[in-house]
Amino acid sequence: MTAAQVPTKGGQLKLIISIVVFIAALFILLMMAGLGNATQTPEARVPVAVST
């Protein structure tokens, strides 16, 4: 194995940091999406005549 084939620690560190940042951003976005739950108001329904 030559020096050109050995993976650098800097490249691995950047990959790990980018994965951690991506997972943290995903977690934050999922939490924010759950915080603003829209409440559904019941609709006023008019009785409808049905012939049987």
Side-chain angles (χ1 to χ4, degrees):
M1 182 177 279
T2 63
Q5 294 173 339
V6 177
T8 61
K9 294 288 184 187
Q12 289 178 348
L13 183 62
K14 288 180 185 178
L15 178 64
I16 292 172
I17 290 173
S18 63
I19 290 172
V20 168
V21 168
F22 175 75
I23 291 173
L26 183 63
F27 181 75
I28 290 170
L29 287 173
L30 287 171
M31 292 299 292
M32 288 175 57
L35 290 179
N37 291 338
T39 57
Q40 184 176 3
T41 57
E43 298 176 6
R45 297 186 179 178
V46 179
V48 178
V50 179
S51 61
T52 55

